[in-house]
Amino acid sequence: MSTIIEEVKAREILNSRGNPTIEVDIFTLDGFGRASAPSGASTGRAEAVPFPEGGVKEAVKKVEEAIAPEIIGLYADDQEEIDAILHEIDGTENFRNIGGNTAYAVSLAVADAAADSYGLHLYQYLGGSMNSCLPYPLGNVIGGGKHASGKATDIQEFLVLPLGAESFSAAVEANAAIHRKLKGVLGKLDASFTGGKGDEGAWAPNISNDEALEALSNVCQEVAEELGFESRVGVDVAASSLWDPEKELYVYKRDNVERDSGEQIEYILSLIEKYNLVYVEDPLREDDFEGFKELTSKAHGCLICGDDLFVTNVNRLRKGISIHAGNAIIIKMNQVGTLTDTWKATRLAQENGYVPVVSHRSGETEASHIAHLAVALNAPIIKTGVVGGERIAKLNELIRIEDDLGERARMASLKI
Ligand code: PGA
Ligand code: ZN
């Protein structure tokens, strides 16, 4: 059994928005690995730069001309060494030379090839054979912001978390039932609703934030009665998209309201209380660590999660931990590029009581690696949408992993 890398190939493929992205194949003596990179629309300023100047074509060239010669002949299971080489070839803080998505595809394809060489599933190879916890799926069911156009909601995502589920398959069933049921409810609230969806498969009606939360809470209740377990509601405010730096206000165009930082915190606290929210992501703009700190100290029984705030970056997370800003972190591997960096951010979060939420991006491919990452990293939540082939690919992979684990499978422990 050998994990020695023999060949590296890269190509341009399409993501779920129909935009180009990069895919990398790694051949070892005894195995094969493939990975393709996702892309965000509401990206954080401190994220890795996705592609080099020249776009995906240039990224493909970088893999073939600069990266392949350096990693051919190395062991694919020397992940840290290979990830260090990617940083070295790039030579910048934020992968602007080779692209964070280029690093992502190479780093993950290397792990994929190593797992295949050993005849293991990726989650087993990365997490060890005793790892048997499945994450709760956090699903986007109504949305707007940068993931839709026209008059959709100001808050980017209205989410459900089926916390009462005893298995992953039951959890997925609840999310799908909520998504299905909402269609009819939204049609009654918005006469112009055509069944249109945003980039992540969430319904995109022309309704207010309150109408969305009201409708979602009711549907969650109905589905809980039908299925016999509880689902709770959450939001991703993606507040940097609402922030107007000149006015220094959060501008809610659809709801026609403007809020300063203090009012924003009060507004979020009122939503947590009124709708018993279990999860709030990016409630404040991406550099407002102090605002996150204040909100976290005042909100009880609710995860306050940083996405654009932390960008899966250990330095930004360390800063947050030092002042208790937030209590959860979005883990998006392409925000930092490599598996090693992703691993370090997740471990740092777990060591400090922050809940890691492994997440998709709004632009995805059909690849299902993040399903394996969530299990391997022991993340109690995976955020990956409810419908759409590229979202379903991740959910179905977790159903397969649950099946594969058989009697040993159990839901991750999640204390909120
Ligand atoms: P993105 O958004 O993938 O478009 O950045 C998703 C999110 O904000 O969580
Ligand atoms: Zn987000």
Side-chain angles (χ1 to χ4, degrees):
M1 206 170 311
S2 169
T3 67
I4 291 179
I5 297 173
E6 292 213 300
E7 197 185 339
V8 179
K9 275 175 132 180
R11 67 180 67 80
E12 182 177 317
I13 62 164
L14 297 178
N15 70 17
S16 54
R17 276 193 277 262
N19 291 333
T21 189
I22 185 167
E23 177 169 88
V24 169
D25 292 351
I26 302 274
F27 298 81
T28 66
L29 273 174
D30 287 321
F32 168 73
R34 169 175 288 165
S36 50
S39 290
S42 71
T43 47
R45 256 202 326 269
E47 286 188 27
V49 175
F51 291 109
E53 229 172 276
V56 180
K57 288 200 169 42
E58 183 60 25
V60 168
K61 227 164 120 188
K62 299 250 186 215
V63 173
E64 284 166 354
E65 291 172 9
I67 299 170
E70 296 298 321
I71 66 171
I72 286 173
L74 300 182
Y75 290 101
D77 44 357
D78 273 345
Q79 187 75 44
E80 277 203 67
E81 188 189 343
I82 290 171
D83 288 345
I85 289 172
L86 291 172
H87 276 292
E88 214 171 281
I89 294 172
D90 178 78
T92 71
E93 277 287 286
N94 56 0
F95 276 123
R96 64 181 175 277
N97 248 327
I98 64 167
N101 277 359
T102 316
Y104 175 103
V106 173
S107 182
L108 203 48
V110 161
D112 202 48
D116 188 52
S117 309
Y118 285 120
L120 293 170
H121 294 300
L122 184 62
Y123 80 90
Q124 295 169 318
Y125 165 70
L126 290 174
S129 62
M130 299 306 277
N131 236 5
S132 60
C133 291
L134 277 302
Y136 289 89
L138 177 63
N140 185 2
V141 286
I142 305 176
K146 286 199 173 160
H147 294 167
S149 45
K151 282 218 159 203
T153 55
D154 293 310
I155 288 183
Q156 181 177 282
E157 299 167 28
F158 296 86
L159 304 149
V160 281
L161 188 64
L163 270 181
E166 285 181 4
S167 69
F168 186 80
S169 341
V172 164
E173 191 187 338
N175 284 5
I178 292 166
H179 188 274
R180 256 194 320 270
K181 213 172 247 252
L182 272 169
K183 189 176 186 186
V185 175
L186 297 174
K188 286 187 195 126
L189 283 173
D190 169 15
S192 65
F193 182 56
T194 58
K197 294 181 222 150
D199 287 349
E200 295 182 354
W203 303 116
N206 176 8
I207 58 174
S208 69
N209 294 327
D210 262 305
E211 284 174 313
L213 285 165
E214 197 72 49
L216 189 47
S217 303
N218 292 339
V219 169
C220 277
Q221 189 59 36
E222 282 171 37
V223 169
E225 278 159 27
E226 280 164 29
L227 297 180
F229 61 85
E230 183 190 41
S231 286
R232 300 258 305 270
V233 176
V235 289
D236 179 0
V237 182
S240 293
S241 313
L242 302 175
W243 180 249
D244 182 328
E246 267 151 42
K247 288 185 173 173
E248 298 203 338
L249 292 170
Y250 293 96
V251 179
Y252 290 73
K253 284 204 187 98
R254 162 67 184 70
D255 283 7
N256 199 18
V257 185
E258 297 183 344
R259 298 183 170 93
D260 66 23
S261 297
E263 287 165 339
Q264 176 77 355
I265 292 176
E266 288 312 310
Y267 174 59
I268 299 296
L269 285 169
S270 75
L271 295 183
I272 293 173
E273 170 140 39
K274 187 165 177 200
Y275 300 103
N276 191 25
L277 300 185
V278 71
Y279 177 91
V280 177
E281 181 178 327
D282 282 352
L284 297 152
R285 65 189 186 277
E286 59 200 315
D287 289 320
D288 191 5
F289 281 84
E290 286 299 322
F292 265 81
K293 171 186 170 182
E294 184 181 339
L295 181 65
T296 309
S297 72
K298 290 182 174 168
H300 301 289
C302 181
L303 294 176
I304 306 295
C305 186
D307 173 11
D308 295 346
L309 181 77
F310 295 135
V311 292
T312 320
N313 176 305
V314 286
N315 295 328
R316 291 181 70 95
L317 178 58
R318 242 181 236 122
K319 180 172 171 184
I321 289 168
S322 71
I323 61 163
H324 304 291
N327 51 27
I329 175 177
I330 281 283
I331 301 292
K332 288 173 173 166
M333 182 173 150
N334 85 325
Q335 287 179 330
V336 278
T338 71
L339 198 50
T340 303
D341 291 301
T342 306
W343 206 266
K344 284 183 181 163
T346 309
R347 288 290 170 254
L348 180 65
Q350 286 162 330
E351 282 159 17
N352 289 280
Y354 278 54
V355 173
V357 178
V358 169
S359 172
H360 65 166
R361 305 294 317 234
S362 51
E364 271 292 332
T365 72
E366 76 282 11
S368 59
H369 295 104
I370 64 164
H372 291 264
L373 272 190
V375 177
L377 288 164
N378 225 335
I381 304 179
I382 185 166
K383 185 184 182 213
T384 189
V386 178
V387 297
E390 71 284 1
R391 322 282 152 193
I392 291 291
K394 284 73 169 168
L395 298 172
N396 283 349
E397 190 70 357
L398 280 157
I399 292 173
R400 291 181 200 110
I401 294 174
E402 183 169 62
D403 192 28
D404 190 46
L405 287 166
E407 297 267 287
R408 294 197 299 128
R410 57 204 159 80
M411 295 306 282
S413 130
L414 177 59
K415 293 183 191 74
I416 299 172

